């Protein structure tokens, strides 16, 4: 006896069979599934008139954008320094209110570029401006409006989003000087609002948040409650090291310095057998400080390694505060010749 040849079922036979999309008659839908198989979707409560969106902070270098970002968020999400062009990538900080959520995008300072890095940073800012709900144009109160401000103002004429002129560092000038600066800013362009603020003293910080949130569209929250930034831990660690280095070297080589986090290793979970330094299962963080010339390398290291040690002490304190545990910070200095204008070097450094 031979086996019957294989035959595909007809359309009628298929239609007459059980339908996987329908529940069996004898079993209720909820009772048929074990508790672990039932997914419960939790939608957070928020008012019907809730607003949420993105605000981009722009301005020339050292206009107080990062300091204002931190003040609005109420937590340090962006490094700050007295050196121009401290910010080298977009940093997001989230401001939470009961009726709104404001996502701030702190951008590098717009400037006349002298290197390929400078050009790429300017391009990054302009790309960001095309995809936000409102723009905060930061102009410091203690400096007269100059060519850089006018250059940015002309650029912003092409932006569709409303522009709020924010006069920063209001605490550094007299009331009379502040009033004169507000009039000058008003003549600079056609702004949706003009707001003076002092991020250091906290004066008018809430007003800036209110004004920016007033330009956001109706939307559910974009970030979970309590989350103040989406910056990866490695990026924030690298920025804290760069901040410490910028403060240490002062004006000697701020633009020639880049930072790369080579490795973050947790002895509690690592199974690779990597070499662990220090006691107490400290988080192992290995970072390279990259400069353009060997003479700059000597500046970073300092006599007998004194400057590198100073940078490490300052950076480690910030990193430990960030992650909430002890850290072993291993710093090295290396040279990448003219990296600011070398496309391959910029790619390796993440620009």
């Amino acid at each position: 006896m031979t086996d019957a040849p294989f035959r595909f079922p007809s359309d009628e036979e298929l239609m007459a069979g059980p339908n996987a999309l329908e529940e069996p008659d004898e079993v209720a839908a909820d009772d048929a599934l074990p508790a672990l198989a039932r997914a419960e979707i939790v939608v957070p409560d928020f008012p019907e008139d809730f607003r949420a969106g993105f605000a981009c902070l722009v301005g020339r270098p050292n206009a107080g954008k990062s300091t204002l970002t931190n003040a609005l968020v109420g937590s340090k999400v962006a490094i700050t320094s007295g050196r121009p062009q401290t910010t080298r990538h977009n940093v997001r900080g989230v401001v939470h209110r009961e009726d709104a959520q404001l996502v701030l995008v702190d951008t590098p300072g717009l400037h006349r570029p002298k290197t390929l890095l400078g050009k790429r940073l300017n391009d990054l800012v302009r790309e960001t401006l095309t995809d936000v709900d409102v723009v905060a144009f930061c102009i410091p109160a203690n400096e007269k409006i100059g060519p850089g401000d006018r250059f940015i103002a002309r650029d912003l004429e092409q932006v569709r989003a409303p522009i709020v002129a924010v006069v920063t560092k209001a605490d550094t000038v007299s009331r009379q000087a502040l009033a004169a600066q507000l009039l000058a800013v008003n003549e600079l362009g056609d702004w949706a609002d003009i707001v003076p603020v002092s991020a250091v003293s906290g004066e008018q910080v809430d007003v800036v948040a209110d004004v920016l949130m007033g330009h956001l569209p109706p939307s559910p929250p974009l970030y979970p409650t309590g989350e103040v930034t989406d910056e990866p831990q490695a990026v924030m660690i690298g920025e804290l090291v760069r901040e410490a280095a910028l403060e240490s070297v002062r004006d000697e080589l701020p633009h020639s310095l880049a930072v790369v986090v080579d490795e973050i290793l947790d002895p509690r979970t690592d199974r690779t057998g990597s070499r662990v330094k220090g006691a107490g299962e400290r988080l192992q963080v290995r970072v390279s400080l990259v400069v353009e010339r060997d003479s700059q390398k000597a500046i970073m290291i300092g006599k007998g390694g004194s400057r590198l040690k100073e940078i490490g002490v300052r950076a480690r304190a910030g990193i430990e505060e960030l992650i909430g545990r002890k850290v072993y910070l291993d710093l090295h200095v290396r040279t990448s010749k003219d990296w600011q204008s070398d496309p391959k070097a910029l790619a390796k450094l993440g620009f």
Side-chain angles (χ1 to χ4, degrees):
M1 181 177 177
T2 59
D3 293 336
F6 177 79
R7 178 179 65 84
F8 281 102
S10 66
D11 290 344
E12 290 77 10
E13 290 171 326
L14 287 172
M15 293 298 292
N19 188 346
L21 298 179
E22 295 179 354
E23 295 292 340
D25 293 338
E26 66 275 10
V27 182
D30 288 340
D31 295 338
L33 296 174
L36 292 177
R38 293 195 296 272
E40 183 179 356
I41 300 176
V42 179
V43 179
D45 293 330
F46 56 90
E48 290 184 3
D49 58 349
F50 195 89
R51 293 174 176 270
F54 291 83
C56 178
L57 279 71
V58 299
R60 55 186 167 86
N62 208 25
K65 300 181 295 296
S66 297
T67 305
L68 179 57
T69 297
N70 292 336
L72 286 164
V73 174
S75 178
K76 183 169 183 173
V77 296
I79 68 169
T80 58
S81 169
R83 313 282 83 76
Q85 299 178 33
T86 298
T87 302
R88 284 186 176 160
H89 70 286
N90 287 349
V91 179
R92 287 192 179 93
V94 187
V95 183
H96 297 273
R97 294 275 184 87
E98 290 184 359
D99 59 346
Q101 187 182 84
L102 176 66
V103 184
L104 300 165
V105 186
D106 178 24
T107 62
L110 277 167
H111 61 290
R112 190 182 299 277
K114 297 180 181 179
T115 63
L116 180 58
L117 172 64
K119 182 180 182 301
R120 289 188 176 179
L121 294 181
N122 278 357
D123 290 343
L124 175 63
V125 178
R126 292 190 175 100
E127 289 173 8
T128 304
L129 287 170
T130 64
D131 198 28
V132 295
D133 302 293
V134 60
V135 176
F137 178 19
C138 296
I139 305 168
N142 60 346
E143 298 178 33
K144 290 184 177 180
I145 291 174
D149 298 310
R150 296 188 183 93
F151 169 75
I152 297 171
R154 287 193 297 269
D155 256 20
L156 293 177
E157 290 177 359
Q158 311 301 319
V159 177
R160 294 182 179 180
I163 314 294
V164 176
V166 180
V167 179
T168 60
K169 307 182 183 182
D171 60 305
T172 62
V173 298
S174 66
R175 292 286 181 182
Q176 184 178 359
L178 178 59
Q181 184 74 328
L182 291 172
L183 289 173
V185 170
N186 184 57
E187 296 175 359
L188 183 62
D190 185 17
W191 317 120
D193 295 283
I194 302 177
V195 187
V197 66
S198 169
V200 173
S201 69
E203 186 178 1
Q204 293 270 106
V205 170
D206 286 343
V207 175
V208 172
D210 291 339
V211 170
L212 294 178
M213 287 175 174
H215 292 286
L216 301 182
S219 168
L222 303 172
Y223 284 81
T225 302
E227 185 171 324
V228 296
T229 185
D230 59 1
E231 288 291 290
Q233 185 184 79
V235 171
M236 296 192 72
I237 287 174
E239 288 292 271
L240 288 171
V241 172
R242 190 161 67 90
E243 181 181 49
L246 289 174
E247 289 304 312
S248 180
V249 298
R250 305 290 177 185
D251 297 318
E252 293 175 80
L253 66 158
H255 306 309
S256 301
L257 174 65
V259 171
V260 178
V261 177
D262 299 312
E263 182 182 41
I264 298 177
L265 184 147
D266 190 343
R268 300 173 183 174
T269 57
D270 181 69
R271 298 293 181 268
T272 64
S274 299
R275 186 161 56 99
V276 175
K277 296 182 179 180
E281 294 188 336
R282 299 182 179 190
L283 189 71
Q284 310 284 298
V285 179
R286 297 180 176 89
V287 178
S288 292
L289 302 170
V290 184
V291 294
E292 292 188 301
R293 294 183 292 278
D294 288 338
S295 59
Q296 296 171 339
K297 184 176 181 179
I299 292 173
M300 288 301 308
I301 294 173
K303 186 176 180 180
S306 58
R307 176 163 282 165
L308 194 61
K309 181 178 179 180
E310 176 188 333
I311 294 170
V313 170
R314 183 177 296 169
R316 184 170 60 249
I319 296 169
E320 289 179 345
E321 182 178 356
L322 170 70
I323 65 175
R325 63 179 290 192
K326 293 293 184 180
V327 168
Y328 179 87
L329 180 59
D330 194 5
L331 298 180
H332 298 272
V333 184
R334 57 184 174 88
T335 303
S336 178
K337 187 177 180 181
D338 298 326
W339 66 262
Q340 292 186 84
S341 297
D342 183 345
K344 291 183 178 179
L346 286 172
K348 289 181 180 179
L349 293 171
F351 297 105

